[in-house]
Amino acid sequence: MAKRKEENFFSPENAKRPRQEDFEDFDKDGDEDECTASFTNGTSALTAAEVGIIESIELRNFMCHSMLGPFKFGSNVNFVVGNNGSGKSAVLTALIVGLGGKAVATNRGSSLKGFVKDGQNSADISITLRNRGDDAFKPNVYGDSIIVQQHISMDGSRSYKLKSGKGAVVSQRKEELVAVLDHFNIQVDNPVSVLTQEMSKQFLQSKNEGDKYKVRGAKFFMKATQLEQMKEDYSYIMETKERTKEQINQGEERLTELKRQCLEKEERFQSIAGLSTMKTNLEYLKHEMAWAVVNEIEKQLNAIRDNIKIGEDRAARLDRKMEEQQVRLNEAENKYKDIQDKLEKISQETNARAPECMALKADVTAKKRAYNEAEVLYNRSLNEYKALKKDDEQLCKRIEELKKSTDQSLEPERLERQKKISWLKERIKALHDQENSVNQEIEQFQQAIEKDKEEYARIKREELDVKHTLNYNQIQLKELKDSKTDRLKRFGPHVPALLEAIDDAYRRGHFTYKPVGPLGACIHLRDPEHALAIESCLKGLLQAYCCHNHADERVLQTLMKRFYSPGTSRPQILVSEFRNEMYDVRHRAAYHPEFPTVLTALEIDNAVVANSLIDMRGIETVLLIKNNSVARAVMQSQKPPKNCREAFTADGDQVFAGRYYSSENTRPKFLTRDVDSEISDLENEVENKKAQIVNLQQHLSALEKDIKRNEEFLRRCQLHYKELKMKIRKNTSEIRELENIEEHQSVDIATLEDEAQENKSKMKMVEKNMEQQKENMEYLKSLKIVAENKYEAIKLKINQLSELADPLKDELNLADSEVDNQKRGKRHYEDKQKEHLDTLNKKKRELDMKEKELEEKTSQARQICPERIEVKKSASILDKEINRLRQKIQAEHASHGDREEIMRQYQEARETYLDLDNKVRTLRRFIKLLEEIMTHRYKTYQQFRRCLTLRCKLYFDNLLSQRAYCGKMNFDHKNETLTISVQPGEGNKAAFNDMRALSGGERSFSTVCFILSLWSIAESPFRCLDEFDVYMDMVNRRIAMDMILKMADSQRFRQFILLTPQSMSSLPSSKLIRILRMSDPERGQTTLPFRPVTQGEEDDQS
């Protein structure tokens, strides 16, 4: 092994300096002799590096290694030695990838997921960077070290964690890592900082001189010196400069046009300057107008305050009137109660005397009947006595006449006439009997006919009633069937169409508030058994509609005319202001522990419906009592519940405290729930009514036949009666003629005397009977008089009670009316008070709004005119003056144009012109300054490039001289080529050869010299070389090693990481040199499945 040379290599101090700007090469080449550099011998006194060097690396499941590290690197020279496959290149690859490099930059894999060990889900890399001294990055956050951790997943994604020296996570953003690398000037993709084995091979095998300079050489020269970035920046600046010049040219063309427009606008503006006076006057009028509006609002405010004061006084008066009304109501109720108590007492007394009166009346009737019978018997005996006395007188007279008569010759003829008269009388008697019989038959037939006619009329009326009921039931049945599909049809066939029309009118804005109705459709029963009672109570209100005001009522009336023809009844329309809350009626509502009121028996969701029913029907004061007798007991047998005016039963009967009215309806029409059951019942009832009509018609037909038959019999009897009358008159006439014939007839005196004697005996008997009957009659009369007196006395008492009760009943009715009147009066005052309070609150809200409006108008007026102006004119007059002045100004504008618009256009045109002119001037100055700066920077760039080129040449020649080589580097910046020529041995004895003519070891040595030259002129906190001596023989390897160690000794502020398969056992011991030995690879380890990758794929993975 050749002896090491003792000379120490020293390079000019490479202190850390600011990053230089890049410039584009304009194909100008300068004199390389302008820059010089000096080399001296000696050991560097610089201290160890403080920022940016690698302190340690740790790998987990990376490539084919489960665990590598942690590797603790020294601050200067570090050798990583080991056999092939031990993981040296994996460490270098992890360094590139762990600090954000792409997979293709390592030449070891196609994508990041290829670095995850087979069979594992992820790989982890941990790199610790030193962070000390004045140039430390965020030392307060990170401390003395920055730990960069990278996690690589199987899908090729990766994540970062930047931790402080104490292990606390500071950031997980890649931007933070980029900031750290920029601060430390670390470029992992720069081959001068990290030269992999593959990159070294590519450089050695390169045959193109341009590659060393730009393509591949850019990685070794242009990129190492950052000249490439400067060149790109300079090129971008020049492109920007050209675009700016184009903008300047366009701006100058635009400036000419804008200047012309500005001059035109200025001339037009000057022509209308005479309108300023009118506009000044207009502005003053506006000021007056603003304060005139304030004055009028203040007047309105004063008027509202006065109205509120008056309203509050009226509210107090209404309160007093309500109190007075309450007093009168209490008095009326007390009076009603007193009268009702008196009537109750009289009624009880009358009811107590009624049985006695009835018994006495029956006794009087019996006594009268007995007296009348006795009187009839007495009168009958008296008549008989008188008849006998008369016969006696006639017999005596006849006997006396016969005795005086002496002529007895006409006696036979007289006897014959007497016999005929007797026969005629018997005949007349028989005819009278027939007459009476026929008369009775006539009366019977007349009574039968009259009875049949009355029955016929009754049945006919009953038939009409049944037909009316049938027609009503059929209509109701049809409505119920229609209501199965549409419940609203219960309230009338036109209701659905009417509601649609109301909805359409409301959508068109014809209503202030949408009318509500029919009211029956807006309520629901809590108990279905109350349906008929509630219908009887509400009646037509179930079909009524509610409107917010009279304007809405007129619109609804117009809509109803479409569906209800003239002459037909229309639903009632109630007008009442719509409220969102129901009235509070707790203080005036009726209450009973067992029976509900109509209000509590209903579920009413709409407050408008509830309020309307309370106003119109007082449903809070009406009780619902299902049983009729219980309703009578609650309302009439005792004092009605408090605030209860009336009650309704389940049958629909209406019960007052003193009256009872039966309902005409038998079933509910609108509020029934079981429609199917109602339909079935109605169908059965319709069939029953039809059958009833048939039976009635049959009965009428039979009655008609009976009437006709009896009328025929009556007619016959009347004819027979007339014939009998004629016969009786004829026989009576014959008897009268026979009695008028004066004939002296002889009479049997003895017979007449016997008859007279017999007649006297009868008279005595009748007289005796008369006396007995008279005594009996007198006795019965006295009994009758006593009974009548008793009856008259009790009747008189009852009549006196009735006479006392009748005025009380009238007084009770008057008191009841008075109570109702007082209640209505109280409700009237309550409504008036409520309405008045609503109006008063509305006035107060209006006052608040006016005060706010006054504040706003005052604020607006102060904005228009800060100081208040005394205005004598009204706002309307000022408005007219402003309008006239505006018209005058508009007339001027019509001829000259609007001054403000022209002024605005002039100002806009002037501002646009001045703005564009300023921009063009600024751009011109910027271009001029940019040209000066770029000229200066380009000269500096050229000088900087010449200095770097010369320094690289000098370092390269000096390094070649270590083995007595001669070399030459030719930079052609114009053609962007780099030519390297090396001559082994004495330089003056042999010609320079191209590097392709050198052996492998000579070429590797030359490459090392070139790389060391670049290291001397490039800045980076660490340098990495992978198997730099792979093609060198022992001599060249030893020389190259000495050169690297010398440079490392001269640059102790930088870190060097060298990877080699050699053992490095011959290295001298030094605290600046650290050797890391890798373990031998595991048995059975195979080659990693790497494949080439395109740049696009790598970009996707990163």
Side-chain angles (χ1 to χ4, degrees), residues 890-940:
Q890 288 175 358
E892 292 293 328
H893 286 166
S895 58
H896 299 93
D898 183 59
R899 183 175 182 273
E900 280 72 14
E901 180 65 20
I902 293 174
M903 184 176 180
R904 186 186 60 79
Q905 293 177 359
Y906 168 66
Q907 292 291 342
E908 288 180 356
R910 188 170 181 275
E911 289 174 0
T912 304
Y913 170 76
L914 294 176
D915 182 61
L916 184 58
D917 184 62
N918 185 40
K919 288 181 180 179
V920 170
R921 292 176 184 274
T922 302
L923 288 175
R924 285 173 180 164
R925 289 194 298 270
F926 171 73
I927 290 296
K928 184 178 180 181
L929 182 60
L930 183 63
E931 288 177 346
E932 294 175 357
I933 292 173
M934 292 305 297
T935 301
H936 174 71
R937 288 175 69 90
Y938 178 66
K939 291 180 180 180
T940 305

Side-chain angles (χ1 to χ4, degrees), residues 753-991:
E753 288 177 352
D754 293 338
E755 185 177 353
Q757 188 65 33
E758 185 180 356
N759 192 40
K760 286 181 179 181
S761 298
K762 288 182 179 179
M763 286 176 63
K764 289 180 180 179
M765 290 176 63
V766 170
E767 187 175 2
K768 185 179 180 179
N769 288 333
M770 282 176 59
E771 291 177 357
Q772 293 177 353
Q773 290 170 355
K774 186 174 182 180
E775 290 176 0
N776 186 32
M777 186 177 67
E778 291 296 332
Y779 173 72
L780 291 175
K781 183 177 180 181
S782 64
L783 293 178
K784 182 187 72 127
I785 291 171
V786 171
E788 285 179 348
N789 291 334
K790 290 182 179 179
Y791 174 69
E792 289 297 330
I794 191 72
K795 187 177 179 181
L796 178 62
K797 187 66 176 176
I798 291 174
N799 288 336
Q800 288 175 351
L801 292 174
S802 299
E803 289 175 358
L804 292 175
D806 288 340
L808 287 177
K809 287 181 180 178
D810 295 336
E811 290 180 11
L812 183 66
N813 290 331
L814 292 174
D816 188 23
S817 300
E818 181 65 20
V819 170
D820 290 339
N821 291 334
Q822 296 302 332
K823 286 183 178 179
R824 283 195 296 272
K826 181 184 176 184
R827 193 157 51 245
H828 168 73
Y829 283 117
E830 287 176 349
D831 294 340
K832 291 288 286 183
Q833 177 73 314
K834 185 179 179 183
E835 182 181 356
H836 179 67
L837 290 177
D838 291 340
T839 305
L840 187 61
N841 292 330
K842 186 176 180 182
K843 287 289 184 183
K844 290 181 179 179
R845 290 194 296 272
E846 184 181 358
L847 178 64
D848 295 337
M849 293 174 61
K850 282 293 181 182
E851 287 177 347
K852 292 180 181 178
E853 184 181 1
L854 178 62
E855 292 178 1
E856 293 176 359
K857 293 298 183 181
T858 304
S859 176
Q860 293 175 3
R862 293 192 184 281
Q863 291 177 359
I864 297 172
C865 180
E867 294 184 1
R868 184 158 185 168
I869 302 174
E870 189 67 27
V871 183
K872 297 181 179 179
K873 298 179 181 178
S874 65
S876 58
I877 295 175
L878 288 172
D879 186 57
K880 292 179 181 178
E881 292 182 1
I882 288 173
N883 289 333
R884 284 197 297 268
L885 191 56
R886 280 177 176 168
Q887 291 174 0
K888 190 174 181 180
I889 292 173
Q890 288 175 358
E892 292 293 328
H893 286 166
S895 58
H896 299 93
D898 183 59
R899 183 175 182 273
E900 280 72 14
E901 180 65 20
I902 293 174
M903 184 176 180
R904 186 186 60 79
Q905 293 177 359
Y906 168 66
Q907 292 291 342
E908 288 180 356
R910 188 170 181 275
E911 289 174 0
T912 304
Y913 170 76
L914 294 176
D915 182 61
L916 184 58
D917 184 62
N918 185 40
K919 288 181 180 179
V920 170
R921 292 176 184 274
T922 302
L923 288 175
R924 285 173 180 164
R925 289 194 298 270
F926 171 73
I927 290 296
K928 184 178 180 181
L929 182 60
L930 183 63
E931 288 177 346
E932 294 175 357
I933 292 173
M934 292 305 297
T935 301
H936 174 71
R937 288 175 69 90
Y938 178 66
K939 291 180 180 180
T940 305
Y941 167 77
Q942 288 180 321
Q943 184 177 0
F944 180 64
R945 185 181 60 189
R946 285 195 296 270
C947 290
L948 291 177
T949 301
L950 184 57
R951 288 175 61 192
C952 187
K953 287 181 178 182
L954 292 175
Y955 283 125
F956 185 69
D957 290 342
N958 190 19
L959 292 170
L960 287 177
S961 66
Q962 300 291 323
R963 284 195 60 191
Y965 281 22
C966 294
K968 183 170 63 174
M969 297 176 67
N970 293 324
F971 288 90
D972 188 351
H973 298 298
K974 183 177 182 180
N975 297 320
E976 297 183 346
T977 59
L978 170 60
T979 304
I980 300 177
S981 301
V982 177
Q983 175 60 49
E986 296 298 333
N988 54 0
K989 294 181 180 179

Side-chain angles (χ1 to χ4, degrees), residues 5-10 41 955-966 1005 1009 1012 1039-1040 1042-1043 1046:
K5 294 187 177 181
E6 299 297 332
E7 298 87 2
N8 290 328
F9 178 74
F10 177 80
N41 295 329
Y955 283 125
F956 185 69
D957 290 342
N958 190 19
L959 292 170
L960 287 177
S961 66
Q962 300 291 323
R963 284 195 60 191
Y965 281 22
C966 294
F1005 175 75
C1009 293
L1012 293 178
I1039 296 172
D1042 290 339
M1043 295 167 60
K1046 287 180 180 178

